[in-house]
Amino acid sequence: MRCPFCQHDNDRVLDTRASEDGFSVRRRRCCNNCRRRFTTYERVEEIGIRVIKKDLVREPLNREKIRAGIETACWKRPPSRERIDSVVEGIVAEIHGQFEDEVTSKQVGEIVMKHLAPLDEVAFVRFASVYHEFDNLNDFVKVLSLRQRPSDVGP
Ligand SMILES: [Zn+2]
């Protein structure tokens, strides 16, 4: 990040905090050249969290991929484009709130399901059946209990 005072591109991060909207982070930085401090605000997708896939290949967290999965699950279901957008934002914000650099694809799937459950029951079941790997019966029961959790969202 270029220093606003001396223009050197050499600084260290002193502190990172999520902003109140959850969609950006505020970082206090210290320039290693002039030693002055400055603050930057970065959109969460610029920070570059990586997803570890099942085959251990890592790829950048992709908001559009999450959205595509949810849109597929919501095919011909009531949730509007706006509802889906806000669910995607919530999912991305939660991932960035819980994980620093890396997250497994399984953890991403669990967060997606948590947000999908109150959105639309059919979409949730579709998503779960495609993305969740049921290693054993306990996992399956866990998912079912997630689905049956009372919704805090109106009808
Ligand atoms: Zn400087």
Side-chain angles (χ1 to χ4, degrees):
M1 199 62 65
R2 195 171 287 278
C3 170
F5 305 107
C6 72
Q7 311 303 322
H8 274 71
D9 190 4
N10 176 14
D11 68 282
R12 67 199 158 87
V13 174
L14 303 172
D15 183 42
T16 299
R17 277 164 209 232
S19 68
E20 278 172 20
D21 63 14
F23 304 141
S24 61
V25 294
R26 171 184 169 279
R27 284 185 165 150
R28 286 295 292 159
R29 296 171 177 273
C30 178
C31 173
N32 287 328
N33 182 56
C34 71
R35 305 282 164 201
R36 279 193 265 199
R37 293 179 177 195
F38 58 100
T39 302
T40 56
Y41 295 87
E42 293 157 60
R43 292 274 301 172
V44 286
E45 63 263 54
E46 290 163 0
I47 298 161
I49 206 165
R50 294 198 301 171
V51 179
I52 307 168
K53 297 196 294 181
K54 209 180 159 209
D55 57 9
L56 301 182
V57 170
R58 286 159 166 80
E59 63 177 29
L61 178 67
N62 186 334
R63 175 190 297 258
E64 291 314 310
K65 216 166 156 176
I66 293 173
R67 182 195 306 279
I70 292 172
E71 280 178 350
T72 303
C74 289
W75 177 248
K76 295 197 173 172
R77 294 296 303 164
S80 64
R81 181 91 199 178
E82 289 74 29
R83 292 285 315 273
I84 293 174
D85 280 348
S86 96
V87 164
V88 171
E89 293 292 333
I91 289 166
V92 171
E94 180 164 344
I95 292 169
H96 282 280
Q98 282 189 25
F99 301 93
E100 289 272 310
D101 305 311
E102 293 185 328
V103 58
T104 67
S105 53
K106 195 174 177 202
Q107 288 166 322
V108 171
E110 279 163 8
I111 291 172
V112 170
M113 284 192 289
K114 198 177 98 186
H115 287 256
L116 212 46
L119 181 71
D120 185 78
E121 187 165 302
V122 171
F124 171 85
V125 173
R126 285 177 184 163
F127 185 92
S129 65
V130 173
Y131 288 90
H132 194 83
E133 290 147 24
F134 298 114
D135 294 332
N136 55 49
L137 189 60
N138 282 340
D139 275 1
F140 186 64
V141 169
K142 207 170 82 185
V143 167
L144 284 182
S145 66
L146 192 66
R147 181 168 75 86
Q148 285 159 1
R149 190 176 296 167
S151 166
D152 54 359
V153 176

